[in-house]
Amino acid sequence: MIPTIPDQKPVYRIYLISAVIVVLDQITKWMVKSWMYLYESIPLIGDSVRLTFVENPGMAFGVRFFHDHAFLGRWFFTIVSFGASIALIWYIHKMRYERGPYRAALGLILGGAVGNLIDRFLYGRVVDFMDVDIPDMLGMQRWPVFNVADSAVVCGMVIITFMILFTKPAAPHEKKKTNGSGDIPVVQTGREGSE
């Protein structure tokens, strides 16, 4: 049987999704910083959805560590985010033949990670502005202010979780094998015996 060389485009599509998220994230943050002053809040849909300009020195949704420390307050999350982005790129390469939604989810997560990494590296703080009211629970009256990058990461994680819980694994005849070189996956169709 002649080995089937897989299409390499899905890898670039993953990075295209990431790039779109990074661009949208940075443009919206620039708009907020240019047109609003810190802590200003503008109602969009009554009090339920507002634009609120805050700067977050910690993780997504206001989680903070070392925020009072001069060095760690800025560089701890920058280093962690950089390491996570490198790990994601490695994982994307490893999972490049997975199903489309899974690959798209990885692109969303990488884009979100890089979007916030840019803020942390350049400014030491992440710009957040999406302010949404939620039913009072867990002691919160409003959801912590977030941004496009945070949304992309959450959406990517939701998609991956859904696929893990509710989609069936690939059938045995769809599993990829190598042709001996270890590089080129060969799709086993189950019809080799008829050739």
Side-chain angles (χ1 to χ4, degrees), residues 2-13 93-98 103 174-179 181-188:
I2 298 174
T4 303
I5 299 176
D7 184 5
Q8 293 296 317
K9 289 182 181 178
V11 176
Y12 299 109
R13 290 173 187 159
H93 179 75
K94 182 178 179 182
M95 305 302 288
R96 64 191 180 278
Y97 302 116
E98 271 292 339
R103 295 194 310 267
E174 296 175 353
K175 291 182 179 177
K176 297 178 178 68
K177 304 188 303 181
T178 62
N179 66 348
S181 66
D183 298 329
I184 305 173
V186 179
V187 178
Q188 185 177 9

Side-chain angles (χ1 to χ4, degrees), residues 157-186:
M157 292 303 299
V158 168
I159 292 170
I160 288 175
T161 301
F162 179 86
M163 292 197 68
I164 290 172
L165 293 178
F166 301 108
T167 61
K168 296 179 181 179
H173 68 280
E174 296 175 353
K175 291 182 179 177
K176 297 178 178 68
K177 304 188 303 181
T178 62
N179 66 348
S181 66
D183 298 329
I184 305 173
V186 179

